[in-house]
Amino acid sequence: MALASSSIKSRALDILTSHDVAQYFDQFTFGPDVDRGKPYPDIFLMACAKLQQQPADCLVLEDSEAGIQAATSAKIPVICVPDMKRPNQPYADQATAIVPSLTDVITHLKSVR
């Protein structure tokens, strides 16, 4: 499992560590690691490469319109878990699903098996 965050490494790792979840990720890619940030697909493509996986075999969980666009451009299925606002319709239409929480991602994935 990889984390692809537009944040800088120190900020992202501080947050992940403070919530005791950093150890669940095998690879990390941060905004400064790529030349072009979201909505370009570069960060997700780099994360896939680090995992040695094809984009179509991955899944992105995203909270922003730019992230939805980046995942779609990378040809990676994306589930939106809105943070502060629901994405506008053109972006919502690009998502495989929009769920209210991370727990609901699991429920959604089990329902589409």
Side-chain angles (χ1 to χ4, degrees), residues 28-52:
F28 297 90
T29 306
F30 302 103
D33 296 338
V34 294
D35 292 332
R36 301 180 305 169
K38 299 171 188 176
Y40 294 98
D42 306 22
I43 197 164
F44 291 132
L45 294 173
M46 182 178 283
C48 290
K50 286 181 177 183
L51 291 172
Q52 299 179 358

Side-chain angles (χ1 to χ4, degrees), residues 23-91:
Q23 73 271 13
Y24 296 109
F25 294 93
D26 301 304
Q27 296 292 333
F28 297 90
T29 306
F30 302 103
D33 296 338
V34 294
D35 292 332
R36 301 180 305 169
K38 299 171 188 176
Y40 294 98
D42 306 22
I43 197 164
F44 291 132
L45 294 173
M46 182 178 283
C48 290
K50 286 181 177 183
L51 291 172
Q52 299 179 358
Q53 296 293 319
Q54 294 299 313
D57 295 329
C58 295
L59 174 67
V60 167
L61 303 181
E62 184 56 62
D63 66 342
S64 72
E65 291 176 347
I68 293 170
Q69 187 176 357
T72 301
S73 294
K75 308 251 188 291
I76 303 172
V78 57
I79 294 176
C80 179
V81 185
D83 180 21
M84 297 178 65
K85 74 174 196 92
R86 184 176 171 86
N88 288 319
Q89 201 59 50
Y91 301 98

